[in-house]
Amino acid sequence: MAVAVLGMLLTAAGCGTGAEPTDSGASGSADTAGSSGKDASSKASAGSLTWEFEHIADFSGKLADVAALAKDDVWAVATENNGESNAHLLHYDGTRWKREPLPEALGAGDYPPFLEEVGEKTLWLRPQNAEAAPAVNRWAQWDGTRWSAVPSPPPGTAGDFEATGPDDIWTLDASRQTAQHWNGTHWATTRLPYGASDLAVVGPDDVWAVGSRSTGPGTELGSGEGYSQPASMHWDGTSWKSVDTPQARFKDPIPPEPGADLDQVFALATGEVRAYGINSFNHGEVDDEPADQFIRLRWDGSKWVDQEPAPGGCALRRPVAQDDKGLILDGNWYLTDDGKCVKVKRHRLPLSTGARKGSNQSLWLEEIHRVPGTDEWLGAGHVQVNQSGDPFGAPVVVRLKRGS
């Protein structure tokens, strides 16, 4: 019924986007488009931005990832709400979207695989495994014509993956204790000073990692209780070195099981580095709870300093991408280079999908990427349709449109 008629290619339909602002580093956060279909306007409008539907898939589920080599060569990873964990691919060849099986060169994974852009001529598809590394890593690569095996995938189970080109790739091991670097001929494994959650590559000899530490200043509360602290590390071309990072601490009385960490690091095109994290605790154990504290730091060239607060709805949002006019933020917000906060608009699903006029719809984007060689941006995720008797998720690819 609602699901069976979802499949179509649209350039001017609608998408709803639903949740309260969070400090999540994932781009899969959203704001609600209610039954009226009216979008909240930006308090500081700096030009119109809209997520326009590029494709709505013909099943209930979501798109977990998207990547592109060109305007006519776009891939997405899809999962269905059918009780199975199996994933498949969607491919756009410039004329239509087509469902494709996972390539035979790809090894098995516990979850949907990741697409990785390795330069502008190659895509890698890698399994998403649990903590245990497979005996033999099997990754696949797309060269614009066919899928084949990646000759030398990184050892172990890769976590975060950052590539500036085919000869400069960094990954974090799932253990968070080591990083691997590919220089075009071999992988080199290096030990990190502390556990790391995220990487950002500024240049060949300028790489950052962030995470947390459980030893050192600020990590002991007495009575054997610990207080993890934010940690940052820098690669200078020869080794990883720990970097002094501001501590975080609640005022007394300290809430139960406190801990602070950095879980995202982002490098701007200018080379400026920003880090994001949270100081939190085990909620629900005391009546008078403090609020979680969001950590937002900027490297000024010699030390970490607090970022200047962003205005309006951008205040607690994190960057997921940067274009030539500003930062694309999670939750469908945009921060211009001159500091204006803009809400990215969206439409509702067409009624032909089975989404009723009275439904609540929300757009949840998992990934946002630029189409190489263009100024076009694509996002992938799903529109969640909440309505009595027949809720569903519509997998979508959206395109960022400027202007009315």
Side-chain angles (χ1 to χ4, degrees), residues 77-91:
V77 174
T79 59
E80 296 189 41
N81 294 332
N82 58 5
E84 302 291 335
S85 60
N86 297 355
H88 60 267
L89 297 177
L90 294 177
H91 183 231

Side-chain angles (χ1 to χ4, degrees), residues 214-401:
S214 57
T215 59
T219 60
E220 295 184 3
L221 291 178
S223 303
E225 187 175 3
Y227 196 146
S228 62
Q229 290 295 323
S232 59
M233 298 142 272
H234 183 252
W235 172 262
D236 60 6
T238 59
S239 64
W240 288 99
K241 296 179 175 62
S242 61
V243 177
D244 287 339
T245 309
Q247 297 178 33
R249 189 181 181 92
F250 290 105
K251 294 181 179 179
D252 291 332
I254 293 176
E257 301 178 38
D261 73 336
L262 297 174
D263 55 23
Q264 182 188 5
V265 59
F266 189 88
L268 302 182
T270 60
E272 180 181 302
V273 177
R274 299 180 182 182
Y276 301 82
I278 192 170
N279 181 29
S280 188
F281 59 96
N282 188 9
H283 289 266
E285 293 194 16
V286 294
D287 293 331
D288 188 15
E289 291 188 344
D292 287 343
Q293 299 171 354
F294 300 117
I295 304 169
R296 311 174 75 84
L297 303 175
R298 175 178 62 85
W299 183 253
D300 71 357
S302 61
K303 63 182 183 301
W304 289 110
V305 298
D306 289 335
Q307 293 182 32
E308 290 293 328
C314 296
L316 293 181
R317 297 299 181 180
R318 299 183 180 195
V320 295
Q322 182 180 17
D323 67 6
D324 59 355
K325 294 180 175 62
L327 294 172
I328 302 173
L329 308 179
D330 67 353
N332 306 319
W333 290 88
Y334 186 91
L335 183 65
T336 67
D337 286 337
D338 57 359
K340 294 183 176 64
C341 181
V342 180
K343 187 72 185 78
V344 183
K345 300 177 183 179
R346 66 282 184 275
H347 310 286
R348 293 170 59 81
L349 287 169
L351 297 178
S352 58
T353 64
R356 298 194 290 267
K357 287 184 177 180
S359 64
N360 288 318
Q361 300 179 22
S362 51
L363 172 67
W364 297 81
L365 295 180
E366 301 293 334
E367 286 291 330
I368 298 172
H369 286 283
R370 182 180 65 86
V371 179
T374 75
D375 59 359
E376 297 181 358
W377 290 83
L378 297 177
H382 76 285
V383 175
Q384 180 61 40
V385 179
N386 292 326
Q387 56 190 8
S388 61
D390 191 20
F392 64 93
V396 296
V397 178
V398 292
R399 183 182 301 273
L400 188 63
K401 179 182 178 182

